[in-house]
Amino acid sequence: MTKQQAPVAKNEYYDVVFTDLTHDGLGVAKVDGFPLFVKNALPGERANVKVVKVKKGYGYGRLIELYEPSPDRIEPPCPVYRQCGGCQLQHLSYEGQLKAKEKQVKEVLARIGKLDGVTVHPVIGMKNPWRYRNKAQVPVGEREGGLVAGFYKERSHEIIDMDACLIQQEKNDDVVQAVKRIVERYGIPSYDELAHRGVLRHIVARYGAATGEVMVVLVTRTNHLPHEQEIVRSIVREIPDVTSIVQNINPERTNVIFGAKTRVLWGSEFITDRIGGIQFAISARSFYQVNPEQTKVLYDKALEYAELTGRETVIDAYCGIGTISLFLARKAKHVYGVEIVPEAIEDAKRNAKLNGIQNVTFEVGAAEDVIPRWYQEGIRADCLVVDPPRKGCDAALLETIIAMKPPRVVYVSCNPATLARDLRILEDGGYETIEVQPVDMFPHTAHVECVAKIRLR
């Protein structure tokens, strides 16, 4: 049997019409049925593209000339948008972004979950979809003798030096630039990942939008930070509102930002922020949603779907630092939260104490192990909430849910594809998906969060 030849060849040029966007924001065009994925292209556009890579069933192209632009196309306001890998959709109007994300959710639910009849509401967007991120994690490098700090160029480890990021809180931009100036003044060498030498790997800034508190984290390869006291004094003097200065030590050859060891150089171990009247303590390595305004929208929707009256027992699988648990606790009889990361459970307990919320129980462990034991101890959930990572729910947890049969399940998802897969498993196990509400937590990127309301049949 002869191998079928692709209808396109590398370095050749083709006139195409784009028909769709991928889940990561690439334009999709087909040449004789063969899909080409092209950055910076939009559905409905006619263009000339150059093929840059051909794989077995698809290829990648580069936009050469745009013959007919989409009415939704806009000029990206960020000067480094086309080099930086942080945003994927700044060339699409915000209204267009919301429509594209709604379409994506509907399509994956139908294709992967076989859930054609489920109501998917329009995406809830932001009134002002800029300057929303409360955490900046900026790699540091060296170029022509000076320090550079910015974000990585797409699909590379080349740092694009930048003074401002339009989706960052302006406070974080100011903090990163100030710290960069200070460490440069004291001659702190940046980390060289190829040679695995140097000191400063990342500058991390965290900002409590409701409190104005600022945390500076210096991620270093070495335990020793040269000129530590001078750097700390300079940061305190030059950055208003700083309440915490922390060093995190990561001596490994790795792309992971944080290492295991953290020490406070000055001030508090954590900063605080508030969402919906609940206060949260955020340490250097705490997971905390980066868009507090839309987090409240997301959690309010989860609370609505939980249909709590004050008499219910709720289980929060993947509870993290207790953000959803504490929202639910104000309307529930008792909330049980489980999380596999021990530090997150310590944060959750601290956050419950901080807010005087006593009707919560947090435990470290895998949800699929802990929840069956809770059931054996007589704990019966009226509602179970899951907020898993991008890979979706653990298969054993889904089996546990189906076996334990809580009447209501609320699924908070950051990946529509794994949401669709897991909803199909729950549907086959006796549940019914009532509705799905997408929320735009990350404007100008291809990501979309969803909350699904699920009932036992």
Side-chain angles (χ1 to χ4, degrees), residues 19 21 51 62-63 99 110 115 151 169 190 196 201 228 231 233 243 255 260 298 324 344 377 388 397 417 423 425 434:
T19 56
L21 281 176
V51 176
R62 188 166 68 244
L63 196 63
K99 286 177 183 170
L115 296 164
F151 295 101
Q169 292 270 2
S190 68
H196 193 55
R201 299 177 74 128
E228 179 186 302
I231 288 170
R233 279 196 294 270
T243 53
N255 291 337
L298 189 77
I324 293 181
E377 292 168 3
L397 174 60
L423 288 179
I425 293 167
I434 307 299

Side-chain angles (χ1 to χ4, degrees), residues 247-259:
Q247 180 190 6
N248 175 268
I249 297 126
N250 184 355
E252 307 297 326
R253 282 184 178 268
T254 177
N255 291 337
V256 175
I257 292 173
F258 286 112

Side-chain angles (χ1 to χ4, degrees), residues 278 302-304 306-316 324-337 356-361 380-385 408:
I278 297 176
L303 190 58
E304 178 193 321
E307 297 178 341
L308 302 179
T309 64
R311 297 188 296 272
E312 292 83 6
T313 297
V314 182
I315 290 177
D316 180 7
I324 293 181
S325 297
L326 298 181
F327 258 68
L328 296 165
R330 294 186 300 181
K331 302 272 185 171
K333 179 182 168 190
H334 200 93
V335 177
Y336 293 84
I357 295 174
Q358 297 180 332
N359 60 329
V360 288
T361 302
R380 296 285 182 270
D382 301 294
C383 178
L384 190 141
V385 178
R408 294 190 296 286

